[in-house]
Structure formats: C-alpha cells, structure tokens
Amino acid sequence: MTSTHPSGTAGLADRLASADLVVVGSGFFGLTVAERAATELGKRVVVLERRAHLGGNAWSEFEPETGIEVHRYGAHLFHTSNQRVWDYVRRFTDFTGYQHRVFTVSKGQTFPMPINLGTICQFVGQHLSPTEARALVREHAAEIDPAHVGNLEDKAISLIGRPLYEAFVRGYTEKQWQTDPRELPPEIISRLPVRYNFDNRYFNDTFEGLPVDGYAAWLERLADHPLVEVVLEVDYLDVRGLVPAGVPVVYTGPLDTYFGDAEGRLGWRTLDFQQEVLPIGDFQGTSVMNYADSDVPWTRIHEFRHFHPERDYPEDRTVVVREYSRTAEPGDEPYYPISTARDREVLARYRERAAAEPDVFFGGRLGTYQYLDMHMAIASAMSMFDNRLAARLTEG
C-alpha cells in the first residue's frame, strides 16, 4: 500500500487513469473490497479518502500524554458469528479475549445492561426467579395493547412495561434522537432485549474481541497491498470527472450527497465527543457507562483503558470521552440513519437513481443508508465482491 496526499489534479488524474477500480472511502467496507480486488484478481485499486487518515470511523489513535488507545469516533467493539468473516479478519490481526459489558446510571444507581435478571432484581429491590421476573414484566407490559401501538413509547411499554421503560429507555432515547419518544415511530425500537438470566455480556455472538495492536494497525494491514493506493484528503465528489469512463467505482459515502441531495436530504444522526485526560488511574471502573436520565446531557462515557487491561497503561492517568448525540446538520459527519417513514420514501427514490448508475456500486453504512456493525460491513463487502464486482472486473 502507498498512502499519499494528492500533488495536484494532474497527478491524481494519472493515478486514476491507471486504476482498474476506484474505491471511495477507506472504512472497513471500502478496504475489504480493495483488498479482495487486489489479492484475488491482481487489480490495481485507488482508494480516495477525504479525511487525513484511512479507516473511516473505526480509526484509533494513541493519546500522546498517556499512550492509551482512543477510538476517535466512538467505541468500536468487534463481534461476529460469521465464521467466514472471523477467518478473514484474523489474516490481518489477532484479537484479545475482551468481552463487552455495559452499565447504565439511572436515578443515581448503576445497573447492568442490557436488561437482565440482575437488572430487574436490583430495580425492584428483591430476588426474583426467571419465572417471577417474566410475570412481572408481562404484567407491566399489559398496559399497552400491541395492536394499538402508535409511537416508540407505546411500543417500548408494550414490550417491557412502563417502570423499566421510564428508568432505562425514555431519557436515553430522548438524548439519542433529540426527540420526545412519543413523536418517534414504533419501528425504531422493534424489540428490546430482556434476558431472564444473569448474563450481562452485551453481545451474543460466537466470536468477540479487540485487535491486539489496535484498530489503526489492523486497518493499515488491510490496506497493505502493492496494488492498493490510498489517497488521503481527496473528496471524490470534487474529482469524479477525473475517473475514466467505464472504470467501476465503489462508493461508500452518503447516498444523498452523491446525488447532490436532489431528492432531499436523508435524516442522519451525528455524534460529538469531549475528551479529557484525568489525573487518576480509574474514573468509572468499566469501559462504557451509559446515562439513562434525560437531565444528563451526554449519552455515555467511554474510559478507554478498560478496553485493554492487558496493556501497561499508566496508573495515575486515564482518558475519558463523553459522547453526545444530535441530528446531523449540513456539514456534520453522518453516523447513523434515522430512517423515519419520510426518510424511507426519499431512500426509495435514491435507490432508483443508484440503479441507473451502471459504473457505480453503492456500499457501506452511508452508501446504503443502513446501520451496519463492522462485521456486517465486511460481510457485505465480501458479498459485493463475490457476486457483482469480480465478474465486472474480469469480464467487463
């Protein structure tokens, strides 16, 4: 891999002219496609990245004062039950045995998440058997007839009952969506996980862990192929006229932005982060602490030392990052699709436009307007390569 900054339009035009494939965006989707095309087919790939680093939102950095690895765009936890994906990613990194566990603060108390038997017992202040806990939740959920659900709040109450909803869902949802849950569609929260045992592991997947050397090292190895060139600080939409006709493009940027918002802007959420180095060895005792109360402005606090307890981090300093969620405005970095009914109508029109672009393959979270975990993005990229791109690159 070569990772370069453009030396003018002429130099970039020459690189693009020699490319068999152009990939827009260097997150896991884009880099997986690039690696597959180079390794399996021997094709020359140019990856265009508008940021000053590769890796998209999965990029990590070592905080210079403490040496603690910080996930620059929010916590990234790798997990999958897909054996093929697991075998593939381990070509580029080993994984630790980290298992993600989350806690939430509600009304001054700390509870394990997602809601499990321990959460329920602590919440009601007594020991309950699984059968008793199920009966209690069923009794509270009966307040709302599922046939008469009209919004997110109704849906949540019909699933877990009002007491658990008020304690753990309402305030957090208000902060996540910056909207009263009674004004949000019910499909946003189609299910709420409740475990009637004491399992507080956050993910249920077969495989889980964090890259031993960090995300930056993993991403750099994924891009480390002599036929792959990553060009940084270039916005494809500013230079797409330089891509020769007939050269396929894999586009992983925002779908609406590609078409100049011609059908209207899709709804996105964005995140803001506030990072601090504190003069203590441990701030919260865990990697992620959610805050369920609406009067606390942040949604959660990350303390990154806890992601890698095996590392020799300083004992007198720690790094914490407060995360805030809000609706993305023009110019903001889009993170998650909101996907209201109106958004889905707009999306349908963009998909028609995308289908009419014979040389462009839309992928990734932003390019398909879907929430994709890392393993899902990698699996989707492998599927696109196998089922669509390979034939295009070999047969034309």
Side-chain angles (χ1 to χ4, degrees), residues 296-335:
V296 177
W298 51 83
T299 55
R300 52 187 176 175
I301 297 178
H302 310 279
E303 186 171 11
F304 284 98
R305 70 178 306 114
H306 294 293
F307 286 125
H308 287 278
E310 77 282 0
R311 291 180 179 170
D312 186 22
Y313 286 151
E315 297 180 358
D316 59 347
R317 285 164 295 164
T318 193
V319 180
V320 299
V321 177
R322 287 173 172 82
E323 182 178 310
Y324 303 79
S325 177
R326 60 181 173 84
T327 302
E329 302 296 335
D332 285 331
E333 189 67 45
Y335 280 80

Side-chain angles (χ1 to χ4, degrees), residues 1-5 11-12 14-16 18 21 23 31 34 44-49 223 225-232:
M1 175 198 74
T2 54
S3 182
T4 61
H5 298 260
L12 181 60
D14 291 341
R15 297 175 208 177
L16 293 172
S18 64
L21 173 68
V23 174
L31 290 184
R44 174 171 168 73
V45 185
V46 173
V47 180
L48 302 180
E49 171 56 59
H225 192 287
L227 294 176
V228 174
E229 179 180 11
V230 180
V231 184
L232 302 173

Side-chain angles (χ1 to χ4, degrees), residues 75 100-115 167-168 172 175-176 202 284 286-293 296 298-302 323:
H100 194 46
R101 287 174 169 81
V102 173
F103 297 85
T104 190
V105 177
S106 174
K107 304 296 186 293
Q109 292 192 57
T110 304
F111 299 86
M113 285 283 114
I115 297 170
F168 303 118
Y172 196 84
K175 292 186 290 187
Q176 280 278 63
Y202 197 74
Q284 64 186 16
T286 192
S287 52
V288 177
M289 184 73 72
N290 289 354
Y291 286 79
D293 300 329
V296 177
W298 51 83
T299 55
R300 52 187 176 175
I301 297 178
H302 310 279
E323 182 178 310

Side-chain angles (χ1 to χ4, degrees), residues 160-384:
I160 63 172
R162 187 176 295 276
L164 292 175
Y165 165 75
E166 294 286 352
F168 303 118
V169 178
R170 179 179 172 82
Y172 196 84
T173 301
E174 284 179 343
K175 292 186 290 187
Q176 280 278 63
W177 297 93
Q178 299 293 296
T179 304
D180 189 314
R182 291 169 294 187
E183 297 177 7
L184 291 169
E187 54 266 22
I188 288 178
I189 195 164
S190 58
R191 61 179 292 273
L192 277 173
V194 178
R195 296 176 183 158
Y196 294 98
N197 57 33
F198 290 97
D199 178 13
N200 70 337
R201 183 181 169 194
Y202 197 74
F203 301 115
N204 293 318
D205 286 296
T206 305
F207 310 109
E208 181 178 0
L210 293 172
V212 168
D213 300 317
Y215 278 98
W218 176 9
L219 290 156
E220 288 168 348
R221 290 172 193 148
L222 184 57
D224 188 15
H225 192 287
L227 294 176
V228 174
E229 179 180 11
V230 180
V231 184
L232 302 173
E233 296 184 284
V234 170
D235 189 330
Y236 165 76
L237 299 180
D238 294 335
V239 301
R240 56 179 153 184
L242 300 178
V243 178
V247 173
V249 174
V250 173
Y251 177 83
T252 69
L255 181 61
D256 49 356
T257 303
Y258 178 90
F259 293 105
D261 297 335
E263 300 292 348
R265 293 187 69 244
L266 291 165
W268 300 93
R269 284 195 300 115
T270 192
L271 300 175
D272 297 318
F273 303 98
Q274 181 185 69
Q275 181 171 313
E276 289 183 276
V277 176
L278 300 178
I280 55 176
D282 194 346
F283 173 74
Q284 64 186 16
T286 192
S287 52
V288 177
M289 184 73 72
N290 289 354
Y291 286 79
D293 300 329
S294 57
D295 59 351
V296 177
W298 51 83
T299 55
R300 52 187 176 175
I301 297 178
H302 310 279
E303 186 171 11
F304 284 98
R305 70 178 306 114
H306 294 293
F307 286 125
H308 287 278
E310 77 282 0
R311 291 180 179 170
D312 186 22
Y313 286 151
E315 297 180 358
D316 59 347
R317 285 164 295 164
T318 193
V319 180
V320 299
V321 177
R322 287 173 172 82
E323 182 178 310
Y324 303 79
S325 177
R326 60 181 173 84
T327 302
E329 302 296 335
D332 285 331
E333 189 67 45
Y335 280 80
Y336 307 113
I338 295 176
S339 198
T340 63
R342 178 261 176 196
D343 288 324
R344 290 193 292 274
E345 291 175 1
V346 174
L347 177 61
R349 297 195 293 271
Y350 278 126
R351 283 179 172 168
E352 289 182 7
R353 285 177 174 263
E357 297 275 322
D359 295 328
V360 182
F361 299 79
F362 294 85
R365 174 173 44 88
L366 304 182
T368 61
Y369 198 69
Q370 299 180 78
Y371 180 78
L372 299 175
D373 284 329
M374 288 179 286
H375 68 286
M376 298 165 68
I378 293 167
S380 179
M382 296 170 76
S383 177
M384 175 185 282

